[in-house]
Amino acid sequence: MSIPIQNIIPVIEAKATIELVDEIIENVSIDSRSQQNNNKTLFFALVGPNHDAHIYINDLIDKGVNNFVVNYIPDNINDKANFLVVDNTLFALQNFASYYRALFSFPVIGVTGSNGKTIVKEWLNFLLSPDYNIIRSPKSYNSQVGVPLSVIAINEHHNLGIFEAGISTIGEMVRLQKVIQPTIGILTNIGSAHDEGFVDISQKIKEKLKLFSDVEVLILHKNKTIEAFLKSEIKTFTWSSQDRSADVYYQKKSFDNHSVLNITYKNLCFSISIPFTDDASLENCMHCVLTMLYMGYNDEIIQSRVSELFPVEMRLKVKNGINNCTLIDDSYSSDFQSLKIALDFLEHQKQHKKRTLILSDIFQSGLSDDELYARVSQLIISYKIKRVICIGDTVVKFKHKFLNSISFQSTKDFIKAFESLDFDNETILIKGSRQFEFENIVSLLEEKTHETVLEINLNSISHNLNYFKSKLKPKTKVMVMVKAFGYGSGSYEIARLLAHHKVDYLGVAFADEGIELRKAGIDLPIMVLNPEMTSFSSMIQYNLEPEIYSIRQLKAFLKIADQKELTNYPIHVKINTGMNRLGFDTEILPELVSILKGLTSIKVKSILSHLASSDVLSHNEFTLKQISDFEKDSSFLMKELKINPIRHICNTSGISNYPEAQYDMVRLGIGLYGVSNDEDEIHLLENVGTLKSVISQIREIHEGESVGYSRRFMAEGKTKVATIPIGYADGISRAWGNGVGYVVVNNQQAPIIGSICMDMLMVDVTGINCTEGTSVIIFGKDPSVVTIAKGIKTIPYEILTSISERVKRVFYRE
Ligand SMILES: *Cc1c(COP(=O)(O)O)cnc(C)c1O
């Protein structure tokens, strides 16, 4: 891309303030963290319900970005820059993408539907890539933002596009159609996913079909309901295994690990074999077969290529590696777009000084190899990659372009040399296309722990944060509580995400937790709820701010503050209004004032109290009394000390139930992790943590046989018993055993039978389709931690924070 800024102004209908006239735009960004931002970037400052990228503009100007599409020009701009002011920056991004898309005239496949979009896209990419230079949406970039960004990555070497479109409500598809402008349409299916955004199924069908308003052909499963909604001028190309009037008809035979489809199309009969047996995969495969038929492929090529289809892994995963390394596992794809995405992702993870990239040959960039690897080399420099390990015939030829590189012809050669390569305390990005089988590299580098993992969805954390922010007044600050290892979810990774979202404060329980965060590079202000006197000195060293709750503790802190000759060191004064845990009682406040008055070593940064029962509405009166006492006591301190500190009292349920008590800041805790006491609110939050394990062994027992210690389960008939390697030492309460609780295997509930052991538990999987090695959900969406808490008469907080540190945490983004 190379477009003068002046040409973009009319395209997005902007009012422009141009200070630098000759700017040429070569790339587009919406992510302030991306290392790809530079003086050729056009930055679109997107605004979400609670997210406003205008706050990053000054940071970006400092990094050299000169061109911005904005809703308004922020005050106090650091330096000269061009501002294109529009009513809606998202629409402007879409309009720009639509203009850019129209500059190219090759065929573009547009895929939508309720399920299977990404798989169909990835499979088509694999099937067609021997013959085309394909541009496709990276990962599952199919949203109002993801689609324009995918389209903007087209370059002059591409000759086929495959883009997916996902929508959640009406009005969205028309905009995506304008951006994608598909010439070939694929409708995967219409299921019940995301129904909330539509009044009924017919509205949903009509909306989805808008993607195909201008296609030459629409490929779909033959379906009378959907066809009834289609305009007569749209030509369809349909398949079915039931309806012989479809253009393509097939019959299937299933075997253990593959299926054979006998296909009839016009006068042609042929059979294909695919390495899947489930219906969803067959459906996805048929969409690909029809696309290939439509594009003129013969049965032989179709047969040979579909026989090599593979499962698609869409997520970037972060894993703990050997020797204290952090792995970013993207071992299933290696196009240039997704390399850029993976490098940005790396930038957001735990920072080791050393960064290594393990890279295979890159396919279908649309660029010549020279240009491609020159660009890769630029990326490697801007992301400060210290070492590149090249694997594959092509990338090896370009290894001289990378500063510090090691090369291998094949993955096997790498594995032979593995012991000599010395991976230690570094971030390793593993990026390879499927045929290189980099999963073998991942398994060498991965820290070996047991098969139980707690998966943390980082997107859901952002979602939940934004949800709670939407309940706040614009000026209300947010402190997020990341105590107890981020409520069991991991502290550093979450803190880093929160820093990006520019939350105002973090709260931890003890100094050690704050020190850990500082050591990992978190520089947000951090309040320590329960600072022990022995840790004051190291707290000061790490710039952690104590909560002060008693005269004794205050005096101890002041003594150290004097020794260290501190000035204006921030402290937080806690008032007790009825929790009766920590804090100054009202009667002590005059004494507190007499000590603090005139002191210059410290500064009262905030005054806080804590609600004892904000989640229990029957204690409403009590809570209101707490709030009014807080108002009185804090006002007294402010008046006597002539200060104007931040005041805060609300925790998560306080935010929801006492919006009038937001004061200047709130302290968000459990809600961030997707938990709420409120039935309605639960549906607006997203589940963050999923605790998973796998079945170690399955056996069948008969009437009268028992399971586990003390023989507390007795079989009443033939019972299929599965053993799962997680027990009370991992944090699964024994109270959840003996038929009280369950795990989920293949979407079905399997009751826990017998007593939960230290490291294992047994479940009844009679009638459930599973084998040794099948994955099991201990908690997540179902059972949720709320369900478990109810079942064993405790609170979700205890379930989350009990999960032992020996359970590996894996963080991912969708
Ligand atoms: C833990 C904690 C919070 C957060 O509470 P949630 O109910 O998890 O939102 C807020 N304030 C204090 C003082 C806390 O200890």
Side-chain angles (χ1 to χ4, degrees), residues 468 479-483 487 507-509 527 529 547 574 579 581 608-611 614-615 648-655 666-673 675 677 797:
F468 283 101
M479 173 184 286
V480 178
M481 308 310 292
V482 292
K483 57 195 188 196
Y487 287 51
V508 295
M527 182 180 89
L529 287 172
E547 174 184 291
K574 172 81 147 283
M579 177 77 181
R581 188 170 69 176
L608 67 149
S609 186
H610 194 43
L611 297 175
S614 58
D615 56 334
H648 45 119
I649 190 167
C650 283
N651 62 340
T652 301
S653 31
I655 299 173
V666 294
R667 298 187 304 271
L668 176 63
I670 193 107
L672 188 75
Y673 309 96
V675 176
N677 284 305
Y797 300 74

Side-chain angles (χ1 to χ4, degrees), residues 642-668:
K642 300 196 179 64
I643 53 171
N644 193 14
I646 300 170
R647 289 192 290 176
H648 45 119
I649 190 167
C650 283
N651 62 340
T652 301
S653 31
I655 299 173
S656 302
N657 298 334
Y658 298 91
E660 68 284 4
Q662 280 173 19
Y663 285 97
D664 310 297
M665 183 156 82
V666 294
R667 298 187 304 271
L668 176 63

Side-chain angles (χ1 to χ4, degrees), residues 34-92:
S34 173
Q35 294 295 314
Q36 289 146 39
N37 294 323
N38 58 34
N39 62 352
K40 307 275 191 239
T41 300
L42 179 58
F43 185 85
F44 284 79
L46 298 186
V47 181
N50 305 290
H51 162 94
D52 184 351
H54 290 75
I55 58 177
Y56 303 114
I57 288 177
N58 266 332
D59 298 350
L60 285 159
I61 291 180
D62 293 343
K63 286 187 191 152
V65 179
N66 297 330
N67 299 288
F68 297 90
V69 177
V70 293
N71 285 349
Y72 57 89
I73 303 180
D75 302 332
N76 312 320
I77 289 300
N78 290 351
D79 205 345
K80 274 195 181 161
N82 292 335
F83 288 101
L84 277 54
V85 183
V86 296
D87 290 339
N88 182 321
T89 47
L90 173 63
F91 290 174

Side-chain angles (χ1 to χ4, degrees), residues 117-296:
K117 295 184 284 293
T118 305
I119 296 173
V120 169
K121 180 200 69 193
E122 290 298 315
W123 280 359
L124 278 176
N125 176 64
F126 167 78
L127 296 166
L128 303 175
S129 59
D131 314 298
Y132 292 93
N133 270 328
I134 301 175
I135 170 81
R136 71 187 198 279
S137 333
K139 308 274 162 199
S140 47
Y141 270 35
N142 63 23
S143 66
Q144 295 288 306
V145 178
V147 170
L149 291 179
S150 309
V151 165
I152 287 167
I154 302 177
N155 68 42
E156 60 275 26
H157 304 285
H158 292 121
N159 54 17
L160 178 69
I162 312 175
F163 298 105
E164 57 172 293
I167 54 166
S168 51
T169 187
I170 51 164
E172 293 186 338
M173 194 58 99
V174 178
R175 297 205 291 270
L176 297 186
Q177 190 281 333
K178 289 194 180 126
V179 176
I180 300 176
Q181 300 164 33
T183 55
I184 299 177
I186 299 178
L187 180 67
T188 58
N189 55 32
I190 302 268
S192 57
H194 302 297
D195 264 343
E196 313 87 66
F198 302 93
V199 294
D200 57 23
I201 184 96
S202 68
Q203 189 188 46
K204 183 158 95 168
I205 296 174
K206 278 192 217 155
E207 182 68 22
K208 298 221 163 161
L209 291 178
K210 288 188 177 149
L211 180 61
F212 309 119
S213 58
D214 212 15
V215 293
E216 307 165 358
V217 66
L218 169 59
I219 292 167
L220 76 167
H221 184 186
K222 182 134 188 87
N223 176 323
K224 296 213 172 66
T225 321
I226 292 174
E227 280 170 289
F229 288 100
L230 277 178
K231 292 208 190 72
S232 58
E233 63 268 24
I234 294 182
K235 196 179 126 197
T236 59
F237 188 37
T238 59
W239 59 268
S240 178
S241 61
Q242 325 251 305
D243 184 343
R244 282 194 170 264
S245 71
D247 299 303
V248 178
Y249 175 78
Y250 79 90
Q251 283 173 310
K252 79 161 182 191
K253 277 198 209 110
S254 296
F255 297 88
D256 260 2
N257 53 6
H258 73 287
S259 313
V260 172
L261 309 183
N262 293 315
I263 294 183
T264 317
Y265 167 54
K266 292 189 182 156
N267 302 327
L268 197 64
C269 284
F270 62 99
S271 62
I272 58 175
S273 164
I274 63 164
F276 295 92
T277 53
D278 61 296
D279 289 340
S281 299
L282 297 190
E283 189 171 276
N284 294 332
C285 175
M286 285 310 291
H287 289 114
C288 296
V289 170
L290 264 75
T291 309
M292 291 183 84
L293 286 171
Y294 180 78
M295 293 176 78

